[in-house]
Amino acid sequence: MQKIHAAITAVGGYVPEYRLTNAELEKMMDTTDEWIQTRTGIKERRVLKGEGKGSSDMAVEAVKELIAKRGIDPKEIELVICATTTPDMQFPATANIICDKAGMTNAWGYDVGAACSGFIFALTVGAQFIETGKHKKVIVIGVDKMSSIMNYEDRTTAIIFGDGGGAVLLEPNYEGYGMIDSLQRTDGSGRIYLHQKAGGSVKPATVETVMNREHFVYQEGQHVFKFAVKNMAEVAAEIMVRNNLTAENVTWLVPHQANMRIINATAERMNLPPEKVMVNIMKYGNTTNGTLPLCLWEWEDKMHKGDNIVLAAFGGGFTWGATYLKWAYDTPKK
Ligand code: UT7
């Protein structure tokens, strides 16, 4: 019997309207547009405004777009996996909330926590349910409202992160298109360099943890940078070698958008020219779990059936990974 591949058959995305520009950050903290652009490549990032709005609200918009594009009923979706670092609540899972809000009443769902590598991890997990024949329609989401854990007095983190996310539909493909290979790595000893100090079971929220600003992202940027440059490039190179991919036959690199310098280092290691690299960090900053699906969303109509796509990410944990997929469809011209 022909092997079942899990193929992406539709993409949806969402970024909030509000643009937090470098000029605005200059007024809020001791920084400059020049510093931010030179060190990160970021010009602006989006922020979700509005009382009671969370990651699920952005994910629902992405899911609705995807479902409309594919022309299916939300009730056909069997499983929803949501990669997020900023869940709506500690529990229940954000995936459950998304299912409810988007009318996916026949689906079960859960969240995956792997920080910036979350979408790659969740995609790998979702693909298993398709490849085994267990499910025919699985939605994988990567979404974050990073502004909810951002200390806007800390210039080392506040300039980097933004809000947004995207979703993909996975369906079985019997012609060899879809997910071909993926690899994932974790090194928990890296947690000291990038984490949220309080709010978990080790250090539940108290008046002190709030006063000490321990519910925000804590990052030792230089350490993370060194690991990210090395590992994201290495994992991308490894997936190329083991699938006989070359700079010529890779059509697109979809890199996690953490820092332009990390993206460039990964592309250089793969010998890829800039025109083969998806980059939107200047517009959205680092949306954590959202970066990869947001790239697929923006580039959907530029990808073609049979394109060789490599996704690569590095994030808190530490976590990192890469995925190789053969794109499964041409987007109809509008
Ligand atoms: O997505 C999850 C994984 N995360 C990452 O991949 C992030 C990896 N790290 C980075 O992208 C970079 O380390 C940062 C963008 C966070 C920082 O860039 P850097 O080139 O590593 O800067 P640095 O931390 O070495 O700081 C250089 C200088 C310091 O001043 P001194 O000590 O040289 O006087 C900082 O205090 O820049 C200063 N600085 C700033 N200056 C203006 C730090 N942040 C800012 C700022 N504006 N926003």
Side-chain angles (χ1 to χ4, degrees):
M1 208 184 89
Q2 174 81 34
K3 183 178 177 341
I4 306 174
H5 287 277
I8 294 176
T9 55
V11 186
Y14 180 81
V15 287
E17 269 172 39
Y18 188 83
R19 292 159 197 262
L20 178 58
T21 62
N22 289 352
E24 200 175 335
L25 286 170
E26 281 179 352
K27 291 182 208 140
M28 295 160 68
M29 60 193 70
D30 181 16
T31 191
T32 61
D33 173 48
E34 202 263 330
W35 191 97
I36 301 172
Q37 285 207 48
T38 324
R39 299 289 177 126
T40 68
I42 302 168
K43 293 183 181 188
E44 60 183 34
R45 64 293 291 143
R46 302 296 180 97
V47 173
L48 182 66
K49 300 273 184 183
E51 192 83 11
K53 293 243 184 268
S55 293
S56 72
D57 297 290
M58 294 187 285
V60 165
E61 295 305 319
V63 165
K64 280 185 181 163
E65 185 191 331
L66 169 163
I67 281 176
K69 271 186 192 169
R70 188 72 183 91
I72 53 173
D73 192 291
K75 292 190 174 55
E76 290 178 49
I77 306 300
E78 296 162 275
L79 167 63
V80 173
I81 305 176
C82 179
T84 186
T85 303
T86 49
D88 279 19
M89 304 171 178
Q90 277 273 28
F91 72 91
T94 305
N96 297 15
I97 301 170
I98 297 165
C99 286
D100 176 48
K101 289 182 178 174
M104 298 185 284
T105 46
N106 291 321
W108 63 291
Y110 58 92
D111 292 354
V112 162
C116 298
S117 310
F119 185 74
I120 283 198
F121 283 27
L123 202 58
T124 307
V125 175
Q128 307 302 305
F129 288 93
I130 299 287
E131 287 167 10
T132 56
K134 168 94 175 151
H135 290 316
K136 300 241 172 331
K137 285 189 172 52
V138 174
I139 286 183
V140 176
I141 299 164
V143 67
D144 270 301
K145 183 185 169 186
M146 293 305 290
S147 61
S148 66
I149 52 168
M150 209 40 56
N151 177 1
Y152 285 102
E153 291 178 5
D154 175 8
R155 67 177 183 170
T156 68
T157 52
I159 55 131
I160 300 171
F161 294 94
D163 301 343
V168 298
L169 178 65
L170 293 178
E171 293 186 83
N173 183 289
Y174 306 95
E175 300 170 331
Y177 299 103
M179 299 258 299
I180 308 293
D181 193 14
S182 67
L183 49 100
Q184 302 76 226
R185 306 261 189 272
T186 57
D187 177 1
S189 68
R191 68 190 179 281
I192 53 171
Y193 303 119
L194 180 52
H195 59 270
Q196 183 178 320
K197 293 195 178 301
S201 57
V202 167
K203 204 175 201 189
T206 63
V207 171
E208 283 73 34
T209 62
V210 173
M211 297 304 283
N212 293 338
R213 302 184 157 266
E214 291 178 319
H215 295 267
F216 297 120
V217 169
Y218 171 84
Q219 176 170 260
E220 294 179 29
Q222 269 190 16
H223 280 282
V224 181
F225 187 86
K226 276 185 211 149
F227 280 94
V229 163
K230 179 174 176 288
N231 290 310
M232 199 164 117
E234 245 171 49
V235 91
E238 190 181 337
I239 207 150
M240 282 177 80
V241 169
R242 72 185 204 186
N243 290 284
N244 299 317
L245 292 169
T246 62
E248 284 69 42
N249 63 21
V250 168
T251 324
W252 291 106
L253 166 65
V254 192
H256 171 50
Q257 312 280 310
N259 187 312
M260 199 56 221
R261 290 179 288 152
I262 301 173
I263 296 173
N264 288 341
T266 306
E268 267 168 40
R269 177 75 184 273
M270 296 167 77
N271 267 323
L272 289 184
E275 56 274 16
K276 286 191 170 190
V277 186
M278 296 186 190
V279 179
N280 57 16
I281 190 170
M282 56 295 255
K283 294 193 291 187
Y284 306 139
N286 182 350
T287 54
T288 304
N289 290 272
T291 61
L292 297 180
L294 278 176
C295 282
L296 296 176
W297 175 58
E298 274 206 85
W299 269 264
E300 188 188 20
D301 60 358
K302 292 183 189 66
M303 292 186 283
H304 298 287
K305 192 170 179 178
D307 280 358
N308 288 319
I309 318 274
V310 174
L311 287 74
F314 182 90
F318 290 138
T319 56
W320 63 106
T323 296
Y324 162 42
L325 50 91
K326 262 195 185 302
W327 198 248
Y329 63 99
D330 291 312
T331 305
K333 294 260 176 298
K334 281 182 197 126

